[in-house]
Amino acid sequence: VSPATDVLSPDRLAHELRAIGTARYHDKHSFHARLHSGRCTRAEVQAWALNRSYYQIRIPMKDAALIARCDDPDLRRIWRSRLEDHDGTTGADGGIARWFALTDALGFDRRDVLAGRGVLPITRFAVDAYVAFVRERTLLEAVASSLTELFAPTIVQHRLESMLRHYDYLDADRLAYFVERPRQAARDADYALGYVQCHARTIEQQKAVMAALTFKCDVLWAMLDALQHAYVEPGRPPPGAWVAAP
Amino acid sequence: VSPATDVLSPDRLAHELRAIGTARYHDKHSFHARLHSGRCTRAEVQAWALNRSYYQIRIPMKDAALIARCDDPDLRRIWRSRLEDHDGTTGADGGIARWFALTDALGFDRRDVLAGRGVLPITRFAVDAYVAFVRERTLLEAVASSLTELFAPTIVQHRLESMLRHYDYLDADRLAYFVERPRQAARDADYALGYVQCHARTIEQQKAVMAALTFKCDVLWAMLDALQHAYVEPGRPPPGAWVAAP
């Protein structure tokens, strides 16, 4: 095979990226299956939501870090819609406000959630690694690391339905985040996929794109590993982590 | 004087910050006087606009860097309006689009402007130092470094009038950036001043705020120094810098 033919076509690149999701996206994790099948205790759902909050709150910081390194006003403007989706335009709208409806329902104080109190260290390490990746790698890799959203719409729709069915302390208002999110994720994923198809022009760049998506899958997987290890019987929450009231 | 009384009142802090502007804001620079009094040649106006473009294009990157380090959704959302002001909501609005109307009129290709081709190295060093300051210092210092906007509305209004009067190759459409900017700058400066008054609670923090504003004044001053040195007769543009066609 000559070097020239090593370069993947845009369609082939998309196929390879989807294959990474099939193998590595966190819907394959046993904690995910547990959550969606109704086997999680209330404390496990609480722990999942609290730890996921750390991710939710840092996603706009990650997106701003991408904008901060981008000297193309067009890409900055398009990427800014992600900030708007999460932080909203008033204090009461936006993904984080909707996310708080869930943590409220689960009995967490919003100040504790914002401060990340009781979040598992592994959650921090994984999420902080993601923000650092976006800040430090190439812009192409930073964009590519968002491509887990290719796989999000289906899982999120399924999550909404299964959590409504299994956990009677949650209702559609509490899970409003998952109502809004699939449409946003699909739009963002389409854009990011088109971007990497257009800008990854050598096999080295295409491999970097695939590695970035693999890295991001690892981040999401590690977050569920941490929950599984700490909270699923026999739970082993580390010092300082949230524990359910006895 | 006891340590407790060392802390400045909010009003006193504002007074000290305004005094820094009086002493150090770039409206005191001789290039500024030259530009506003109509003594700049067309080539000098071109050089000013081209170099200022590097600043304009990086301001949203600076603001995104601030958002990227901020875990408070409210502050992120308020600060995001600065991104919107500069990058716009379509490709045709926003401060950078209005700025292009000026560089278009002065004969620059937008791709060259976006790429920073021919920009003076000192301009780059100064502007890059500003972006790095916002990325690396405390959030309080990052906010404080924006406070030169306290002094911008007056200078900008004066700039619009004097440039319209003196440079017949510019008109109100070409200078639209300066029509929109004072209102935005006044709103942003009010917010940032209130923020530092509220959050700088020790004299050490207040001194850091004053140092941040001093630093930012130095950035703007250095940009005009570079223009003065390179382009005002006898001009000495360094290798690679833009020069007027003979």
Side-chain angles (χ1 to χ4, degrees), chain A residues 57-58 60-61 64-65 67-71 73-74 76-77 80 83-84 87-91 96 114, chain B residues 57-58 60-61 64-65 67-71 73-74 76-77 80 83-84 87-91 96 114:
Chain A
I57 288 165
R58 269 150 192 81
M61 300 168 74
I67 296 170
R69 37 188 315 214
C70 176
D71 61 6
D74 290 329
R76 284 202 304 252
R77 189 174 49 250
R80 200 180 71 219
L83 296 186
E84 293 160 8
D87 285 336
T89 51
T90 69
I96 289 177
L114 268 177
Chain B
I57 287 165
R58 268 149 193 81
M61 299 168 74
I67 296 171
R69 36 188 316 214
C70 177
D71 60 7
D74 291 329
R76 284 203 304 252
R77 187 173 51 249
R80 200 181 70 219
L83 296 186
E84 293 161 7
D87 285 337
T89 51
T90 70
I96 290 178
L114 267 177

Side-chain angles (χ1 to χ4, degrees), chain B residues 4-179:
Chain B
T5 58
D6 280 350
V7 182
L8 307 179
S9 69
D11 279 355
R12 182 74 199 170
L13 177 60
H15 175 84
E16 294 292 336
L17 292 168
R18 290 186 191 283
I20 291 169
T22 302
R24 291 175 166 270
Y25 192 56
H26 63 168
D27 61 343
K28 309 299 186 301
H29 196 285
S30 59
F31 190 89
H32 175 88
R34 186 176 178 86
L35 181 69
H36 280 217
S37 65
R39 283 179 288 137
C40 277
T41 63
R42 187 167 191 276
E44 289 166 17
V45 174
Q46 287 176 294
W48 166 75
L50 177 65
N51 280 271
R52 174 81 185 196
S53 299
Y54 189 80
Y55 179 82
Q56 297 299 132
I57 287 165
R58 268 149 193 81
I59 286 300
M61 299 168 74
K62 180 272 295 183
D63 288 319
L66 190 146
I67 296 171
R69 36 188 316 214
C70 177
D71 60 7
D72 173 357
D74 291 329
L75 177 56
R76 284 203 304 252
R77 187 173 51 249
I78 289 165
W79 211 267
R80 200 181 70 219
S81 66
R82 296 169 182 247
L83 296 186
E84 293 161 7
D85 288 344
H86 283 275
D87 285 337
T89 51
T90 70
D93 62 345
I96 290 178
R98 285 190 288 274
W99 185 261
F100 275 138
L102 175 60
T103 55
D104 288 350
L106 292 169
F108 292 107
D109 186 301
R110 290 184 181 202
R111 285 164 301 186
D112 291 339
V113 173
L114 267 177
R117 267 188 278 278
V119 165
L120 292 165
I122 294 173
T123 303
R124 291 179 189 274
F125 299 153
V127 173
D128 291 353
Y130 180 33
V131 178
F133 184 97
V134 169
R135 197 170 53 224
E136 294 163 10
R137 297 299 187 99
T138 65
L139 190 60
L140 179 64
E141 290 169 290
V143 171
S145 67
S146 76
L147 283 171
T148 43
E149 287 177 307
L150 284 171
F151 322 120
T154 312
I155 185 180
V156 165
Q157 182 59 32
H158 182 234
R159 172 171 295 154
L160 178 64
E161 292 165 5
S162 62
M163 292 189 78
L164 280 176
R165 188 163 64 244
H166 293 301
Y167 304 113
D168 58 11
Y169 46 92
L170 299 177
D171 60 24
D173 286 344
R174 301 311 190 170
L175 294 166
Y177 177 81
F178 300 109
V179 177

Side-chain angles (χ1 to χ4, degrees), chain A residues 73-121:
Chain A
D74 290 329
L75 177 55
R76 284 202 304 252
R77 189 174 49 250
I78 288 164
W79 212 267
R80 200 180 71 219
S81 66
R82 295 168 183 247
L83 296 186
E84 293 160 8
D85 288 344
H86 283 276
D87 285 336
T89 51
T90 69
D93 62 345
I96 289 177
R98 285 190 288 274
W99 185 262
F100 275 139
L102 175 61
T103 55
D104 288 350
L106 292 170
F108 292 108
D109 185 302
R110 292 184 180 201
R111 286 164 301 186
D112 290 340
V113 173
L114 268 177
R117 265 188 280 278
V119 165
L120 292 165

